[in-house]
Amino acid sequence: MTIIDGKKISSDIKQELKNSVEACRQKVNAVPGLAVIIVGEDPASQVYVRNKAKSCKEIGMNSKVIELPAETSQEELLSRIESLNNDPEVHGILVQQPLPSHIDEYAVTMAISPAKDVDGFHPENVGQMVLGNLDNCYISCTPYGILELLARYNIETKGKHCVVIGRSNIVGKPMANLMLQKLRETNCTVTVCHSATQNMPELTRQADILIAAIGRAHLITKEMVKPGAVIIDVGMNRIEDASRKSGYRLVGDVDYEPVSKIASAITPVPGGVGPMTIAMLLKNTFQSFMQAQGSADSL
Ligand code: GUN
């Protein structure tokens, strides 16, 4: 059984990017820049945003964190995005979700220039991704990170049955689409399960590759998994744990211990999919920078 080490792969990708960023600095005397906007004081979002800025610094990229109060108007937020769209030193723009309820997330997504939409949320990027033009778009970071894990662990996907659980715009929908693509050799048969699916265990037991992105602790039990399956756990659920100083610990959507005994490969939580999201955000920002430099070269 293989434990898929997202921490290690993410660190490899960051090292590769660090080398590329340094090469750019020497060659064109410029480096990529990421702008992150956070509205309000959600503690989990604050941690994510801090980590994004820290990772930029680690690899020599510029980052700018714009912290706005929870009562910021939509108009003000859109005007901040417009300035970043026009700032040549900013190559990637990310507005941390969730946003306060008075702000329309769709309007925010639409306001970000598709060329700087390193989250891959803009319909132009989503559309290109669905069409299979993967070199012509930004792919949403978590699904992109999962593709990278599968590729770097040489996990065969062609012709396999992939079951995705969850249909969010950020993970489930793009993931299912990517696993379906003929390009980049994912080439799976794909089933998507969600909250209204009636026979979920019957479907999950057919999965050669099972991707759980529902946000419910330990929903996927051993009985729902085919022996030998590859298990990708996107869940990050807080459960109470009195033995921890924080009073909680993070668990995935998969009941890890029993499932890991029958899987052929599995991502742990933490240390599996999570660290890949930031690595792919940096990779997308680097891609945007390269395009801005007028080079189609990727890494
Ligand atoms: N909140 C949780 N994950 C994400 C993400 O990938 N992008 C943004 N913008 N917000 C998030």
Side-chain angles (χ1 to χ4, degrees), residues 28-170:
V28 294
N29 197 26
V31 295
L34 173 69
V36 181
I37 302 181
I38 176 167
V39 187
E41 278 155 21
D42 176 60
S45 291
Q46 284 174 326
V47 173
Y48 293 142
V49 167
R50 232 176 285 141
N51 285 340
K52 284 166 187 165
K54 198 173 123 218
S55 298
C56 282
K57 198 163 172 216
E58 274 167 22
I59 67 158
M61 281 190 187
N62 290 332
S63 73
K64 152 154 53 179
V65 175
I66 299 162
E67 293 176 279
L68 301 174
E71 58 278 9
T72 302
S73 69
Q74 179 163 319
E75 201 188 355
E76 164 71 10
L77 177 58
L78 296 186
S79 132
R80 296 284 191 135
I81 293 170
E82 191 52 27
S83 321
L84 296 170
N85 282 340
N86 296 321
D87 182 341
E89 291 190 1
V90 170
H91 305 95
I93 303 170
L94 180 148
V95 180
Q96 186 67 29
Q97 293 182 1
L99 286 164
S101 56
H102 67 277
I103 295 178
D104 175 4
E105 267 175 14
Y106 179 69
V108 170
T109 299
M110 293 305 287
I112 297 173
S113 160
K116 296 190 179 187
D117 168 40
V118 286
D119 255 332
F121 291 172
H122 192 285
E124 190 169 318
N125 285 312
V126 177
Q128 294 286 15
M129 186 266 296
V130 172
L131 291 173
N133 297 329
L134 302 188
D135 293 326
N136 245 330
C137 67
Y138 296 109
I139 304 173
S140 181
C141 301
T142 301
Y144 192 11
I146 292 169
L147 288 189
E148 202 68 27
L149 286 178
L150 294 171
R152 291 191 187 222
Y153 274 85
N154 293 316
I155 290 169
E156 177 68 78
T157 55
K158 191 173 174 184
K160 303 288 184 193
H161 186 188
C162 175
V163 176
V164 177
I165 313 172
R167 56 176 158 182
S168 69
N169 289 337
I170 297 185

Side-chain angles (χ1 to χ4, degrees), residues 9 14 16 47 62 73 91-92 105 162 175 227 244 286 290:
I9 301 292
K14 286 201 241 173
E16 291 159 18
V47 173
N62 290 332
S73 69
H91 305 95
E105 267 175 14
C162 175
M175 192 76 246
R244 302 282 174 105
F286 185 77
M290 292 300 277

